[in-house]
Each structure stands twice: as structure tokens, then as C-alpha cells.
Amino acid sequence: MNEEIRQRLQNKKIWQRGFFMVMYMGIYGFCNFLMIAIFVFQFVALIIAGQPNALLLDFGKNLGTYIRQIIAYMTLNTDYLPFPFSAWPNDGNSEQLTKDRNISD
């Protein structure tokens, strides 16, 4: 086995990253279920009240940003750990999604 590969296999940061990626896969699945529930509820609210629920509009926007942060982390586009290791996105802004790939250190 090549020595470089052996060193990467012993790198704790890489294994930690893998653990977080598996954890975020579960969170991502739950968030998708939650987003579908919001779709259905908002559609029903639109039919009944004639307008969507204002609180769910903001939550849906923030949940979409959160899902985007999870995808960026899981696809190795960032090392930024999304919620619960950082603040919940509150304004739909995803400034933290910068390319800062340092996992091989």
C-alpha cells in the first residue's frame, strides 16, 4: 500500500469528516420530509385562508438555506459545519458557504 494512502487512512480529520457527512445525511432526510410537510400545509393554507402562513414563509426560506449549507458540506465544497454546530440561518443568506477546503491537513 502506498505510504500516502496509509497516512490519509490514519488522518483523524478525514474520519471525522466522514462521520459528520453520515450524520448530515440523516438530518438532510429529515429536512426533506419537513419541507414536504411545509409545502402541503402552505397549499392548504392558500386554499382555506387565501394566503400562505407568514411564519412558515420565513421558516421555509431558512430551511432552504440550511439544506443548501448541508449539501455544500456533504459535497466537500466547504468545511463550514451547518447547524447544530453553528447558528441557524435566519435571513436566507448563505455567506458562510465559501470554498475553504482544508480537510487533508
Side-chain angles (χ1 to χ4, degrees):
M1 184 182 297
N2 191 342
E3 185 62 31
E4 290 178 19
I5 295 173
R6 181 173 292 147
Q7 287 178 349
R8 282 193 291 268
L9 283 172
Q10 294 174 347
N11 188 338
K12 290 181 183 180
K13 286 185 178 186
I14 292 175
W15 289 104
Q16 182 181 22
R17 175 75 179 226
F19 170 77
F20 283 126
M21 289 173 75
V22 170
M23 182 188 75
Y24 279 115
M25 281 191 320
I27 293 172
Y28 176 79
F30 176 75
C31 288
N32 278 336
F33 170 77
L34 193 57
M35 190 65 79
I36 291 169
I38 291 172
F39 294 160
V40 171
F41 185 85
Q42 288 289 58
F43 184 71
V44 171
L46 185 62
I47 291 171
I48 294 172
Q51 62 185 10
N53 182 297
L55 294 174
L56 282 181
L57 286 175
D58 286 337
F59 181 71
K61 180 174 70 171
N62 295 336
L63 184 60
T65 300
Y66 180 57
I67 290 171
R68 182 170 178 236
Q69 290 173 351
I70 289 173
I71 291 171
Y73 182 78
M74 289 176 46
T75 58
L76 301 176
N77 283 298
T78 184
D79 288 332
Y80 171 79
L81 283 168
F83 179 84
F85 299 100
S86 61
W88 177 259
N90 283 324
D91 61 355
N93 192 350
S94 56
E95 293 176 8
Q96 296 96 347
L97 295 178
T98 58
K99 284 195 170 197
D100 57 355
R101 299 177 63 211
N102 299 342
I103 64 167
S104 61
D105 293 338

Coordinates of all heavy atoms in Angstrom, one line a residue, residues 57-69 87-97:
L57 N -43.4 31.0 5.8 CA -42.7 31.6 4.7 C -41.2 31.8 5.1 O -40.3 31.4 4.4 CB -43.3 32.9 4.2 CG -44.6 32.8 3.4 CD1 -45.1 34.2 3.1 CD2 -44.4 32.0 2.1
D58 N -41.0 32.4 6.2 CA -39.7 32.7 6.7 C -39.0 31.4 7.1 O -37.8 31.2 6.8 CB -39.7 33.6 7.9 CG -40.0 35.0 7.6 OD1 -39.8 35.4 6.4 OD2 -40.5 35.8 8.4
F59 N -39.7 30.5 7.8 CA -39.1 29.2 8.2 C -38.7 28.4 6.9 O -37.6 27.8 6.9 CB -40.0 28.4 9.1 CG -39.4 27.1 9.5 CD1 -38.3 27.1 10.4 CD2 -39.8 25.9 8.9 CE1 -37.7 25.9 10.8 CE2 -39.2 24.7 9.3 CZ -38.2 24.7 10.2
G60 N -39.5 28.4 5.9 CA -39.2 27.7 4.7 C -38.0 28.2 4.0 O -37.2 27.5 3.5
K61 N -37.9 29.6 4.0 CA -36.7 30.2 3.4 C -35.4 29.8 4.1 O -34.4 29.4 3.5 CB -36.9 31.7 3.3 CG -35.7 32.4 2.7 CD -36.0 33.9 2.5 CE -36.0 34.6 3.9 NZ -36.1 36.0 3.8
N62 N -35.5 29.8 5.5 CA -34.3 29.5 6.3 C -34.0 28.0 6.2 O -32.8 27.6 6.1 CB -34.6 29.9 7.7 CG -34.7 31.4 7.9 OD1 -34.2 32.2 7.1 ND2 -35.4 31.8 8.9
L63 N -35.0 27.2 6.1 CA -34.8 25.7 5.9 C -34.1 25.4 4.6 O -33.3 24.6 4.5 CB -36.1 25.0 6.1 CG -36.0 23.4 6.0 CD1 -35.2 22.9 7.1 CD2 -37.4 22.8 6.1
G64 N -34.5 26.2 3.5 CA -33.9 26.0 2.2 C -32.4 26.4 2.3 O -31.6 25.7 1.7
T65 N -32.1 27.5 3.0 CA -30.7 27.9 3.1 C -29.9 26.8 3.9 O -28.8 26.5 3.6 CB -30.6 29.2 3.9 OG1 -31.3 30.2 3.1 CG2 -29.2 29.6 4.1
Y66 N -30.6 26.2 5.0 CA -29.9 25.2 5.8 C -29.7 24.0 4.9 O -28.6 23.4 5.0 CB -30.8 24.9 7.0 CG -30.3 23.8 7.9 CD1 -29.0 23.9 8.5 CD2 -31.0 22.7 8.1 CE1 -28.5 23.0 9.3 CE2 -30.5 21.7 9.0 CZ -29.3 21.8 9.6 OH -28.8 20.9 10.4
I67 N -30.6 23.6 4.1 CA -30.4 22.4 3.2 C -29.3 22.7 2.3 O -28.4 21.8 2.0 CB -31.7 22.1 2.5 CG1 -32.7 21.5 3.5 CG2 -31.5 21.1 1.3 CD1 -34.1 21.3 2.9
R68 N -29.2 23.9 1.8 CA -28.1 24.3 0.8 C -26.7 24.2 1.6 O -25.7 23.7 1.0 CB -28.3 25.7 0.3 CG -27.2 26.1 -0.7 CD -27.6 27.4 -1.4 NE -26.5 27.7 -2.2 CZ -25.9 28.9 -2.2 NH1 -26.3 29.8 -1.3 NH2 -24.9 29.2 -3.0
Q69 N -26.7 24.6 2.8 CA -25.5 24.5 3.6 C -25.1 23.0 3.8 O -23.9 22.7 3.7 CB -25.6 25.2 5.0 CG -25.7 26.7 4.9 CD -26.1 27.3 6.2 OE1 -26.4 26.6 7.2 NE2 -26.0 28.6 6.3
A87 N -24.8 28.7 14.0 CA -26.1 29.3 14.1 C -27.1 28.9 13.0 O -26.7 28.6 11.9 CB -26.0 30.8 14.1
W88 N -28.4 28.9 13.4 CA -29.4 28.6 12.4 C -29.5 29.7 11.4 O -29.5 30.9 11.8 CB -30.7 28.4 13.1 CG -31.9 28.1 12.2 CD1 -32.8 29.0 11.8 CD2 -32.2 26.9 11.5 NE1 -33.7 28.5 10.9 CE2 -33.4 27.1 10.7 CE3 -31.7 25.6 11.5 CZ2 -34.0 26.2 10.0 CZ3 -32.3 24.7 10.7 CH2 -33.4 24.9 10.0
P89 N -29.6 29.5 10.1 CA -29.7 30.6 9.1 C -31.0 31.4 9.3 O -32.1 30.8 9.4 CB -29.7 29.9 7.8 CG -30.0 28.5 8.0 CD -29.6 28.2 9.4
N90 N -30.9 32.7 9.5 CA -32.1 33.5 9.8 C -32.5 34.4 8.7 O -33.6 35.0 8.8 CB -31.8 34.3 11.1 CG -31.9 33.5 12.3 OD1 -32.7 32.6 12.4 ND2 -31.1 33.8 13.3
D91 N -31.7 34.6 7.7 CA -32.1 35.6 6.7 C -32.1 35.1 5.3 O -32.2 35.9 4.3 CB -31.3 36.9 6.8 CG -29.8 36.6 6.6 OD1 -29.4 35.4 6.4 OD2 -29.1 37.6 6.6
G92 N -31.9 33.8 5.1 CA -31.8 33.3 3.7 C -30.4 33.5 3.1 O -30.2 33.1 2.0
N93 N -29.5 34.2 3.8 CA -28.2 34.5 3.3 C -27.3 33.3 3.6 O -27.3 32.8 4.7 CB -27.7 35.8 4.0 CG -26.5 36.3 3.3 OD1 -25.9 35.7 2.5 ND2 -26.1 37.5 3.7
S94 N -26.5 33.0 2.7 CA -25.5 31.8 2.9 C -24.1 32.3 2.7 O -23.3 31.7 2.0 CB -25.9 30.7 2.0 OG -25.9 31.1 0.7
E95 N -23.7 33.4 3.4 CA -22.3 33.9 3.2 C -21.3 32.9 3.7 O -20.2 33.0 3.2 CB -22.2 35.2 4.0 CG -23.0 36.3 3.5 CD -22.9 37.6 4.5 OE1 -22.1 37.5 5.4 OE2 -23.6 38.5 4.2
Q96 N -21.6 32.0 4.6 CA -20.7 31.1 5.1 C -20.3 30.0 4.1 O -19.3 29.3 4.3 CB -21.2 30.4 6.4 CG -21.5 31.3 7.5 CD -23.0 31.7 7.6 OE1 -23.7 31.5 6.6 NE2 -23.4 32.3 8.6
L97 N -20.9 29.9 3.0 CA -20.6 28.9 2.0 C -19.5 29.3 1.1 O -19.7 29.7 0.0 CB -21.9 28.6 1.2 CG -23.0 28.0 1.9 CD1 -24.2 27.8 1.0 CD2 -22.7 26.7 2.6

